[in-house]
Amino acid sequence: MADNCAVELRKVSKAFGNVVANDNIDLKIYKGEILSLLGENGSGKTTLMNMLSGIYYPDSGEILVNGQQVTITSPRDAFEYGIGMIHQHFKLIDVLSAAENVVLGLEGPALLDLKAVSARMSEIARRYNFAMDPAKKVYDMSVSEKQTLEIIKVLYRGADILILDEPTAVLTPQETQRLFEILRSMKENGKAIVIITHKLHEVMELADRVCVLRKGCFVGERQVSEVTPQIMTDMMVGRQVTLNIDRPEPVEPEPRLRVRDLTVVNAEGITKLDRVNFTAMGGEILGIAGIAGSGQKELLETIAGLQPAAGGSILYTPKGQPPMELAGKHPMQIKAAGVAMAFVPEDRLGMGLVGGMGMTGNMMLRSWRQGKGAFVHRREPGALATQVKEDLEVVTPDIDYPVRRLSGGNVQKVLVGREIASAPSVLMTAYAVRGLDINTSYTIYHLLNQQKQKGVAVIFVGEDLDVLLELCDRILVLYDGKVSGIVEARTATKDQLGLMMTRLQEEGETDA
Amino acid sequence: MNAVIALIFNAILNGTPLMYGTMGEILTEKSGNLNLGVEGLMYMGGALGLAGAFYYEKAAGAGVNGLLAMVIAIACAFLAGALGSLIFSVITISLRANQNVTGLALAIFGTGVGQFVGEYMRTMEGGYIAVSNELKNFFQNAPFPQTLQNIPVVGKLLFGHNIFVYLGVLLALAMGFFISRTRWGLNLRSVGESPATADAAGINIARYKYLATVMGGGISGIGGMVYIMTIAGCVWNHEGLAGVGWLAVALVIFCLWRPVNAIWGSVLFGALMILYLRVQLPIPSEIYKILPYVVTLVVLIFTSLRKKREDQPPESLGIAYFREER
Amino acid sequence: MRSHREPLFHLAKQGDVSGRRAWAIRLASFVLAIFIGGLIFLFLGHNPFRAYGEIITGSLGRKTALRQTIKIAVPLLGTALAIAPCFKMRFWNIGAEGQITAGAIGATFFALNYANRLPSPLLLTIMGLSGVLCGALWALIPAIFKARWGTNETLFTLMMNYIVIGMVKYLQGGPWEGKPGSQIIPNFNNAAVLPKVLGVHCGWIMVLILTLFIFIYMNYSKHGYEISVIGESPKTARYAGMDVGRVTRRTMMLSGGMCGLVGYMVASGANMTLYHNVADGVGFTAITVAWLSQLNPFAMIAISLLLAILDKGAGTLQTAMQVPTSISDIITGIFLFCMLACEFFINYRILFSGGRKKEAKEG
């Protein structure tokens, strides 16, 4: 068996700041086998594989390729060891043709023989039943064509170990089937294949062995022939943990935000939200679950007026007043209409805050326009900054110290503190506790509960199902831009959510 | 007919320094570096190229070899330009300073160096600096026999130019071939488009940026020398050279970053520069002279409106690359 | 068996640099520039100490020299102040040269046509306003294209410079020409010349007021706040409800307007006429002034004075030591290079292999 081991990871760890992405992971990848690396978002699958492909360098631990200890510090090193990875974000150059992208960075004669390259590409494409025009420019390609090109690129380099990061996310069912055929025939040729995924039916259909990660830790491995989707779900989401998050009963819930048939199409023409319907109630926390990229970001940004809606309506009903339409309004118009909406975006320093400014400057992001005259008023934001600093125990040397240099938890306290201080009637948060330590997380839950008790409609987009189940009143599950269901958080189970997120009930068992 | 031929002939003569300046900057910009110091590089190349030829002749005396003088002039100009852009490269690539500001500093520094060398030679050598007529002819006359030049109509247009015209065309063709057909050219383009992607493909970003910028600077430097040794008549003439470097930056845009376009682009710009001398039109001559910039601006606007991907500036132009930025 | 190699060193963005350390690095780069400049003097066969002494006395030694130095510094400072808001917004306006020229044209129009008809203070005011307006409109053009179609502003503003300079050349030889064939615009009537205060045209008072204005505008006004946010992250700006295109256009108009004012000062106060080289490279040099000052208006006073001293002082080396005037550009270039390079050592630190794990934990 030792001869058959293509790659071995021994006690590999990687941390980003104080967040441990991978904790002492042992993993073996065998030749002639398809390994599925399974886990929820943020479980550390991609980070782990990025250490094989040369994107990251492990903090500790060893990597062995074919039994030899190696150091992989760049993608080029990875290629030398026959490791090729296809990332979710394609690494292609738009203005170059497919063939040019394929030979990019390769050694060889000075003169480019694109004909020979094209011929070899076509041969690869034919062998694996791909369709690819080598002369086509990348900017003319669809997402799936780009992925095909990425795969050809790796095959062209003769990789023996192929890592695919959620490859089917962008493929049609037919293309997925074709990809699986390729992967199987590559397995027949003795290549080692790792597929990162959170779709259980793909694991069942394709993989030989499955390794499960959860929160940066290795949970276990099984032969696929010996497991059921149920067992894998349990491994993936873990046993339900009791977090002891307070959940006060909703106070006089009343409809605050009615979203009807909301459809959002992004700049590339891809439908990110497809006729979404729900009602957020004042005085309750509505959780939103779903695998990453299911439309959470678009949903919140469209409500906040930062993205245009392609269709549908967003009706906002203030307490005791007639409803008003928000769809089609800019953030300033929404504000001018008297809608007290607070939004804690996922990208804290890139969108919610100005990294180079201090707390005061960031408090002004909401109030800068207020007051008469040409000058900004610093006194109130300054007072607010001091108050937020004290109330939320923000650790900063000074309220004018650039927030970029604060730790992740303190950055989030500044952001949440500011948004809550605006006395919102709707509060939207995206991944509000991502990367935060336990104490700060509880502070955030507490703040959200306070808002809820004040009658605010809180929308909480989260990734940790345990938190969603204990904090929220109801949970909406998004799948591929559609609502796959809304459940009562008090009675729902983790399995139930996991299945709704992966649509195992409908697709996994019927379509697969 | 003769007037037209004379116009084209002179347009080519006046456009040639521009062609070198532009080709150098195209090579530089292809690597994602926007070097606004071309004006300074051309000054340096002009002054040091002249110095090289002059001092060689002074040392060689009567036994002066025209070809060797030319090689020395080219080498001096190239080295001067390369050295100037090496300073730029160290500060922007390794030390990641702002490219616009560094380029402008180089423009100030380079024009100073060029002007200084020109003046210094004049002071040291007492008054007037000029190479011998023999050498001058070698730089300025066509390398082809008179019989070829005497062919009616096309003779002068095809065979009547100084040697730098032909070398420039060859260089432009070679550079075009290099960028579009060779492995290194492909890598270079990818560095200018998306250094992160190129980095992931195992391309040494710094090496490509350094090489392209330094070589490009050298080629721009040759352009300055060509101006001094042909149009200016082998004497230092900073007034004539003033602005050529900036025009070269404009021509890069006009050429849509393609070296082969620099051949006819420089002829067109050369024509616009001298048109007022040749053609009587009810337009004031100074308006002619801004036409190259206006035309460039129109091209710039037009390409940004059309958004055709091939015609855009290299995607990462002007942006320093740092792998661990995130 | 073991092919274990670690990268020798890697770079990391410096988080927290103490002000003292940053200034020490800057001082070191300054000393280095003086040293390199000294080497050049030595190479040319001159005593570097004497050369630097000449530069100081030649620029500050006598009253007339000092006045000349200030006259050089005034447009540099004014233009650097004008550029600051654009650069803060990460809008690379390198068209100051042209905006200065446009402003000078605007001012000259009234100087030539209304000199005998209006009282001097009114005329000077109108000239100033006209200069500001012309500069602002000239700067607005690239801003519109940038905001609407994303046209590269660096290249756009660069081209605009030469177009307006060409227009002055046309005016010089055409409609505004003085003596036919002279290619020179006649000197302004005394009514159109800025009065002198303490021996230097009163533009120096204007730029000092502008320094204060820009300091307040950038740090305390709503506009300044918008500019800072957009410069850091246009995404955050949109999140906060700012109209990025509008702010871009407005800021460019402000910048161009201030450049136009500088053009007016130079034409009316220093040259008393308009000619094509009215900007004389100030638009470019001022960019380096603004950048090296970290966009701090008060630091700009110091840096523009420094460059003016180098310019004026090195210019006197010609007569004192027979060194060509252009040495001033070389010395200026060396100072700029050294100061540009030193920012790297303030912003980044070099970590050798050993420091790696520690870095990751600090995160």
Side-chain angles (χ1 to χ4, degrees):
Chain A
M1 200 63 180
D3 292 336
N4 212 15
C5 181
V7 177
E8 184 178 356
L9 298 170
R10 285 185 190 161
K11 302 226 171 303
V12 168
S13 295
K14 177 77 184 171
F16 297 101
N18 49 16
V19 181
V20 178
N22 286 137
D23 189 8
N24 266 322
I25 294 196
D26 290 303
L27 184 74
K28 283 186 173 180
I29 302 168
Y30 296 106
K31 292 169 191 164
E33 181 197 63
I34 296 178
L35 168 69
S36 176
L37 204 53
L38 186 69
E40 284 186 293
N41 294 302
S43 56
K45 309 168 294 221
T46 305
T47 306
L48 187 66
M49 288 300 107
N50 272 340
M51 284 190 275
L52 282 183
S53 68
I55 304 285
Y56 296 138
Y57 189 78
D59 293 339
S60 63
E62 293 173 351
I63 297 173
L64 286 82
V65 175
N66 294 324
Q68 305 244 330
Q69 189 176 357
V70 297
T71 305
I72 302 173
T73 57
S74 72
R76 173 156 242 165
D77 290 350
F79 278 137
E80 276 170 29
Y81 296 118
I83 301 170
M85 180 157 169
I86 292 147
H87 298 270
Q88 268 183 296
H89 299 286
F90 305 134
K91 297 193 183 299
L92 296 170
I93 291 177
D94 276 359
V95 295
L96 299 184
S97 70
E100 285 172 324
N101 267 290
V102 164
V103 286
L104 196 64
L106 285 182
E107 305 281 342
L111 213 60
L112 270 184
D113 188 354
L114 285 180
K115 263 190 198 142
V117 176
S118 303
R120 237 188 98 189
M121 281 172 71
S122 302
E123 186 201 314
I124 292 171
R126 233 188 347 267
R127 192 190 316 152
Y128 298 114
N129 205 12
F130 273 129
M132 171 59 57
D133 172 10
K136 195 168 185 178
K137 294 280 169 83
V138 172
Y139 60 75
D140 277 333
M141 291 184 185
S142 69
V143 189
S144 83
E145 280 177 299
K146 287 181 192 173
Q147 191 197 36
T148 309
L149 178 56
E150 283 281 18
I151 295 174
I152 292 179
K153 212 166 112 182
V154 172
L155 293 173
Y156 191 95
R157 281 162 169 72
D160 296 319
I161 301 146
L162 199 75
I163 305 165
L164 299 100
D165 193 357
E166 297 186 20
T168 58
V170 291
L171 299 184
T172 64
Q174 292 81 0
E175 285 166 330
T176 303
Q177 286 311 314
R178 213 172 295 150
L179 173 69
F180 286 179
E181 280 163 31
I182 297 158
L183 296 180
R184 284 191 197 103
S185 75
M186 282 168 54
K187 176 178 92 174
E188 302 299 312
N189 287 327
K191 302 207 168 185
I193 290 156
V194 180
I195 161 167
I196 300 175
T197 186
H198 45 228
K199 295 183 184 166
L200 298 180
H201 65 269
E202 288 178 356
V203 178
M204 296 303 290
E205 186 185 343
L206 181 69
D208 301 304
R209 192 161 55 100
V210 55
C211 288
V212 183
L213 296 187
R214 188 172 67 231
K215 291 179 181 161
C217 296
F218 188 82
V219 176
E221 63 176 306
R222 298 278 190 284
Q223 291 299 320
V224 171
S225 52
E226 297 163 7
V227 289
T228 62
Q230 191 57 52
I231 296 172
M232 282 194 289
T233 308
D234 287 345
M235 289 171 77
M236 199 163 104
V237 296
R239 208 162 292 131
Q240 201 155 329
V241 210
T242 312
L243 298 169
N244 290 320
I245 302 172
D246 283 338
R247 175 160 46 195
E249 285 303 311
V251 238
E252 303 168 23
E254 51 168 24
R256 177 67 42 81
L257 206 58
R258 280 201 190 90
V259 173
R260 289 289 168 266
D261 289 329
L262 186 66
T263 301
V264 171
V265 180
N266 73 3
E268 282 86 48
I270 296 163
T271 304
K272 301 300 281 188
L273 284 182
D274 190 1
R275 282 162 312 183
V276 167
N277 284 296
F278 70 91
T279 302
M281 315 283 274
E284 71 158 25
I285 297 180
L286 174 68
I288 295 185
I291 59 175
S294 299
Q296 297 96 320
K297 180 171 177 266
E298 287 77 10
L299 179 60
L300 298 196
E301 289 190 0
T302 308
I303 294 174
L306 295 167
Q307 285 201 29
S313 88
I314 305 163
L315 273 187
Y316 168 75
T317 317
K319 238 188 176 108
Q321 279 171 43
M324 73 174 90
E325 179 62 54
L326 296 187
K329 284 197 168 76
H330 293 296
M332 265 302 139
Q333 294 170 313
I334 292 177
K335 207 174 172 185
V339 182
M341 190 184 298
F343 178 26
V344 177
E346 177 183 356
D347 187 359
R348 291 163 202 166
L349 285 171
M351 187 172 194
L353 297 169
V354 186
M357 290 184 183
M359 282 183 71
T360 309
N362 275 295
M363 295 302 143
M364 278 156 59
L365 215 47
R366 266 201 163 268
S367 61
W368 60 279
R369 215 184 272 258
Q370 284 166 14
K372 282 203 180 104
F375 296 105
V376 282
H377 296 258
R378 283 184 170 269
R379 198 175 307 144
E380 297 86 357
L384 179 60
T386 312
Q387 196 197 329
V388 168
K389 179 179 181 236
E390 280 167 13
D391 290 356
L392 302 189
E393 291 164 348
V394 178
V395 182
T396 172
D398 188 276
I399 54 169
D400 289 319
Y401 188 77
V403 295
R404 178 181 290 131
R405 298 195 191 147
L406 303 182
S407 73
N410 286 308
V411 167
Q412 184 68 330
K413 281 180 185 175
V414 174
L415 178 53
V416 172
R418 181 190 72 206
E419 290 303 298
I420 285 174
S422 67
S425 63
V426 176
L427 170 63
M428 301 189 290
T429 66
Y431 308 108
V433 295
R434 180 183 284 173
L436 304 190
D437 60 51
I438 301 289
N439 280 332
T440 317
S441 300
Y442 276 83
T443 308
I444 303 283
Y445 304 145
H446 179 64
L447 290 169
L448 296 180
N449 276 328
Q450 275 184 340
Q451 293 301 307
K452 164 180 160 182
Q453 284 170 300
K454 281 184 189 166
V456 175
V458 179
I459 297 177
F460 178 88
V461 172
E463 48 200 345
D464 188 327
L465 298 183
D466 291 313
V467 171
L468 282 162
L469 284 167
E470 287 199 33
L471 176 70
C472 302
D473 298 296
R474 289 180 305 143
I475 299 171
L476 178 156
V477 182
L478 279 175
Y479 174 79
D480 195 20
K482 299 183 191 75
V483 177
S484 68
I486 300 179
V487 295
E488 284 296 328
R490 286 174 181 75
T491 52
T493 64
K494 209 167 174 180
D495 284 350
Q496 192 186 350
L497 289 181
L499 295 180
M500 283 165 79
M501 280 163 64
T502 50
R503 279 267 171 114
L504 191 65
Q505 284 168 312
E506 288 142 75
E507 289 193 355
E509 284 161 9
T510 53
D511 306 2
Chain B
M1 193 64 199
N2 276 339
V4 175
I5 289 174
L7 174 69
I8 296 175
F9 184 81
N10 278 289
I12 292 172
L13 176 69
N14 279 280
T16 308
L18 209 51
M19 177 161 62
Y20 283 91
T22 302
M23 283 191 294
E25 183 66 6
I26 289 178
L27 192 62
T28 304
E29 291 191 17
K30 275 287 172 193
S31 76
N33 276 357
L34 178 63
N35 185 352
L36 291 178
V38 188
E39 176 90 351
L41 297 175
M42 291 185 80
Y43 261 68
M44 288 168 79
L48 286 155
L50 173 66
F54 176 78
Y55 284 109
Y56 160 68
E57 189 179 33
K58 203 180 163 195
V64 63
N65 178 333
L67 193 63
L68 188 57
M70 193 176 282
V71 170
I72 288 174
I74 292 177
C76 286
F78 182 87
L79 282 177
L83 209 65
S85 48
L86 181 64
I87 300 174
F88 174 86
S89 302
V90 170
I91 296 179
T92 60
I93 302 168
S94 295
L95 303 181
R96 308 199 165 97
N98 180 288
Q99 293 183 11
N100 294 335
V101 181
T102 312
L104 292 174
L106 179 61
I108 294 169
F109 177 78
T111 47
V113 170
Q115 180 67 350
F116 184 87
V117 171
E119 285 176 43
Y120 198 74
M121 277 164 62
R122 196 153 51 203
T123 340
M124 296 302 284
E125 303 301 325
Y128 189 69
I129 297 258
V131 298
S132 66
N133 279 337
E134 193 190 329
L135 206 54
K136 212 187 270 184
N137 289 338
F138 193 81
F139 274 95
Q140 292 171 5
N141 288 354
F144 299 104
Q146 197 62 42
T147 43
L148 278 176
Q149 298 180 50
N150 287 342
I151 301 172
V153 189
V154 294
K156 199 166 179 226
L157 274 187
L158 286 181
F159 304 108
H161 307 287
N162 64 61
I163 189 161
F164 298 108
V165 174
Y166 305 102
L167 287 178
V169 171
L170 285 179
L171 187 59
L173 294 174
M175 196 187 285
F177 184 82
F178 171 81
I179 289 174
S180 60
R181 297 287 164 79
T182 68
R183 204 172 287 276
W184 299 319
L186 175 66
N187 292 354
L188 177 66
R189 274 185 286 158
S190 71
V191 169
E193 287 294 332
S194 165
T197 306
D199 197 9
I203 294 167
N204 186 333
I205 306 296
R207 183 189 298 163
Y208 274 89
K209 278 186 171 257
Y210 262 100
L211 276 174
T213 309
V214 170
M215 299 281 291
I219 294 169
S220 294
I222 294 175
M225 184 274 291
V226 171
Y227 179 86
I228 294 295
M229 300 309 278
T230 62
I231 301 168
C234 299
V235 290
W236 177 247
N237 175 357
H238 77 273
E239 275 168 19
L241 193 51
V244 177
W246 296 112
L247 203 55
V249 176
L251 188 52
V252 172
I253 305 164
F254 183 83
C255 296
L256 303 173
W257 292 266
R258 287 178 204 138
V260 179
N261 286 354
I263 299 172
W264 65 269
S266 66
V267 176
L268 177 70
F269 275 37
L272 291 173
M273 283 196 283
I274 55 150
L275 200 59
Y276 69 98
L277 294 171
R278 312 246 155 208
V279 186
Q280 294 296 318
L281 282 177
I283 308 174
S285 63
E286 295 303 336
I287 301 298
Y288 277 120
K289 290 189 191 165
I290 62 172
L291 278 179
Y293 300 106
V294 175
V295 170
T296 303
L297 208 49
V298 170
V299 169
L300 186 66
I301 293 170
F302 207 68
T303 51
S304 72
L305 292 187
R306 269 179 74 213
K307 304 214 181 299
K308 191 170 173 229
R309 294 303 299 267
E310 280 87 353
D311 296 346
Q312 300 302 317
E315 185 98 26
S316 79
L317 188 63
I319 303 163
Y321 175 64
F322 182 35
R323 191 191 288 177
E324 293 182 35
E325 199 70 76
R326 289 197 251 196
Chain C
M1 178 83 185
R2 292 191 119 205
S3 61
H4 208 80
R5 62 202 154 87
E6 283 230 353
L8 191 61
F9 66 87
H10 74 156
L11 298 165
K13 258 210 167 124
Q14 190 113 311
D16 217 354
V17 197
S18 70
R20 197 185 294 166
R21 194 179 125 89
W23 282 108
I25 293 172
R26 290 196 185 109
L27 187 69
S29 79
F30 189 76
V31 172
L32 180 71
I34 290 179
F35 180 73
I36 297 174
L39 284 183
I40 288 179
F41 285 119
L42 213 56
F43 176 73
L44 295 171
H46 298 289
N47 179 342
F49 295 101
R50 208 189 130 212
Y52 280 117
E54 282 296 333
I55 289 178
I56 298 294
T57 50
S59 57
L60 305 172
R62 275 169 302 122
K63 221 176 203 174
T64 47
L66 182 64
R67 282 176 186 158
Q68 296 246 309
T69 305
I70 297 206
K71 219 161 111 182
I72 296 171
V74 163
L76 263 185
L77 174 58
T79 312
L81 291 167
I83 291 164
C86 296
F87 274 37
K88 183 86 185 173
M89 209 173 57
R90 308 255 165 101
F91 184 101
W92 307 114
N93 173 19
I94 56 171
E97 193 86 356
Q99 289 144 24
I100 292 171
T101 312
I105 295 179
T108 305
F109 174 78
F110 286 95
L112 295 180
N113 295 307
Y114 293 86
N116 299 319
R117 290 187 249 167
L118 296 171
S120 178
L122 180 63
L123 175 67
L124 285 172
T125 312
I126 292 177
M127 281 167 63
L129 290 176
S130 163
V132 169
L133 189 70
C134 287
L137 291 178
W138 195 250
L140 178 63
I141 301 169
I144 290 173
F145 280 93
K146 170 74 179 186
R148 185 85 176 73
W149 292 286
T151 315
N152 185 317
E153 78 274 15
T154 313
L155 303 173
F156 201 121
T157 49
L158 182 67
M159 294 304 111
M160 297 278 286
N161 290 336
Y162 299 100
I163 293 174
V164 71
I165 290 171
M167 282 155 78
V168 175
K169 285 185 185 162
Y170 159 69
L171 291 171
Q172 260 178 272
W176 292 1
E177 191 177 32
K179 218 186 292 164
S182 67
Q183 299 273 325
I184 289 172
I185 295 172
N187 270 11
F188 291 177
N189 186 303
N190 275 342
V193 173
L194 277 176
K196 285 188 177 172
V197 178
L198 298 176
V200 185
H201 67 80
C202 66
W204 68 271
I205 301 177
M206 289 192 233
V207 289
L208 286 183
I209 295 171
L210 278 184
T211 310
L212 208 61
F213 166 73
I214 283 293
F215 177 76
I216 294 170
Y217 182 80
M218 299 281 281
N219 292 295
Y220 298 102
S221 77
K222 289 177 181 170
H223 288 185
Y225 183 73
E226 287 180 306
I227 289 170
S228 309
V229 174
I230 292 173
E232 281 248 1
S233 160
K235 218 166 114 190
T236 305
R238 277 186 213 103
Y239 165 85
M242 297 172 185
D243 184 338
V244 177
R246 212 178 85 110
V247 177
T248 304
R249 291 190 295 270
R250 188 183 67 206
T251 308
M252 267 304 269
M253 281 189 77
L254 173 78
S255 176
M258 285 173 65
C259 288
L261 190 69
V262 170
Y264 152 71
M265 278 181 222
V266 175
S268 164
N271 301 342
M272 289 160 240
T273 183
L274 170 69
Y275 74 118
H276 67 91
N277 211 10
V278 56
D280 197 22
V282 164
F284 293 135
T285 313
I287 287 170
T288 61
V289 173
W291 188 256
L292 292 176
S293 314
Q294 312 268 304
L295 308 184
N296 176 335
F298 299 115
M300 284 177 206
I301 298 180
I303 301 217
S304 50
L305 270 177
L306 170 71
L307 292 190
I309 288 170
L310 287 176
D311 192 2
K312 176 71 186 73
T316 60
L317 290 176
Q318 170 96 34
T319 41
M321 296 165 76
Q322 286 78 49
V323 183
T325 345
S326 41
I327 190 78
S328 74
D329 282 341
I330 299 182
I331 302 284
T332 305
I334 290 169
F335 271 85
L336 296 178
F337 287 146
C338 287
M339 288 158 83
L340 280 167
C342 89
E343 293 302 316
F344 172 80
F345 298 98
I346 295 172
N347 293 324
Y348 294 89
R349 83 192 126 157
I350 300 168
L351 296 171
F352 292 91
S353 312
R356 193 158 197 137
K357 273 177 199 165
K358 199 168 142 250
E359 168 66 12
K361 270 181 198 139
E362 281 168 2

